[in-house]
Each structure stands twice: as structure tokens, then as C-alpha cells.
Amino acid sequence: MNKIEHIGIAVKNIAESNALFAKLLGKPYYKSERVESEGVNTSFFMVGNNKVELLEATTANSPIAKFIEKKGEGIHHIAFDVDDIVAEMARLKNEGFTLLNERPKKGADNKLVCFLHPKGTKGVLIELCQEIK
Ligand code: ZN
């Protein structure tokens, strides 16, 4: 794994949260995107070399809606940048981690992504992401 690519924060209202984080970070988001397959609206803020992703549910069945229902708003996942997501998935599976998807799927921000079950990672949902070139 190369570096932390971004930190994902689950929010109830993305418009209100975009304004809040723009105030906090001193700049607006640089990208917003709806990921229909995941049931989320996302926005990305750049902070130096790091990114913060805000996620809002678009449906009641969205994992983000369920997360907020259980835990409230807050840090939802940490994403790590990888060069070869398929190889990294195989390595982690072999190490005994539970992958939430068996194949990489298309995520926000032009990435292939895979999530690891938080039960095996001390309660933290981990996202692997590889830039689509
Ligand atoms: Zn993410």
C-alpha cells in the first residue's frame, strides 16, 4: 500500500456539510459525484496531498444510511492507495482479511475499489483504491 488516499466521512446532508468543510478547510470541494451503484453522493476536498471525502446516502438502503442510523455521522472509512488492487486483494485475502467484494468495483473519483470487513480491522472499514488509468 502506498499512502492514505482519503478519509471518508458519512454525513446526513451533503450541501450543508460541503459548506461546513469549505469553512473548516478554507476552500471549496474540487469534485462532487453521485455513485448510483453505491447509493451515495460524494464530494472531495484536497488538503495538501490528502483528500477528505464526504458521503451522503441517496437511498434508505444505502450503506451510508445504515451507518448513520447505527453510529451517527462521522468517520466512515480510511482509503489506501494501491498500485495493483487485484494483487493486493489476493494478498490480504491470503492473510485472512475478509473482502466485502470479491472483484474490484468502480468507485468515486475514477477508482477501482474494494472494502475490507471492519470486523477484521479493529472496527475500521478499510477501502483499497487504485486509480483507473
Ligand atoms: Zn472512499
Side-chain angles (χ1 to χ4, degrees):
M1 296 195 198
N2 298 323
K3 59 165 189 174
I4 292 179
E5 214 284 333
H6 62 268
I7 293 173
I9 300 176
V11 302
K12 286 183 186 165
N13 180 319
I14 205 160
E16 183 241 305
S17 305
N18 280 339
L20 177 75
F21 275 79
K23 221 187 277 176
L24 175 72
L25 302 173
K27 59 184 131 182
Y29 64 87
Y30 68 92
K31 180 185 226 178
S32 70
E33 189 180 342
R34 188 183 181 100
V35 184
E36 210 64 64
S37 57
E38 297 291 308
V40 293
N41 282 320
T42 66
S43 57
F44 287 87
F45 292 79
M46 203 77 196
V47 192
N49 290 325
N50 302 109
K51 294 174 191 167
V52 173
E53 174 185 30
L54 302 183
L55 303 118
E56 172 197 61
T58 56
T59 69
N61 291 331
S62 162
I64 294 300
K66 288 179 183 157
F67 177 89
I68 289 177
E69 211 172 277
K70 260 202 224 161
K71 300 192 172 175
E73 293 178 295
I75 293 183
H76 176 258
H77 65 271
I78 297 178
F80 292 94
D81 177 60
V82 300
D83 292 325
D84 182 345
I85 195 166
V86 173
E88 201 63 12
M89 286 167 68
R91 184 183 74 81
L92 293 169
K93 194 173 178 182
N94 194 44
E95 293 282 7
F97 293 96
T98 307
L99 308 180
L100 292 182
N101 44 297
E102 286 295 318
R103 286 160 190 272
K105 54 185 182 178
K106 178 97 172 56
D109 200 29
N110 195 39
K111 307 278 196 227
L112 288 173
V113 303
C114 175
F115 287 93
L116 304 187
H117 200 292
K119 269 184 190 156
T121 49
K122 302 295 178 192
V124 181
L125 179 64
I126 303 289
E127 176 185 356
L128 308 176
C129 57
Q130 178 196 324
E131 178 124 45
I132 300 169
K133 283 164 190 165

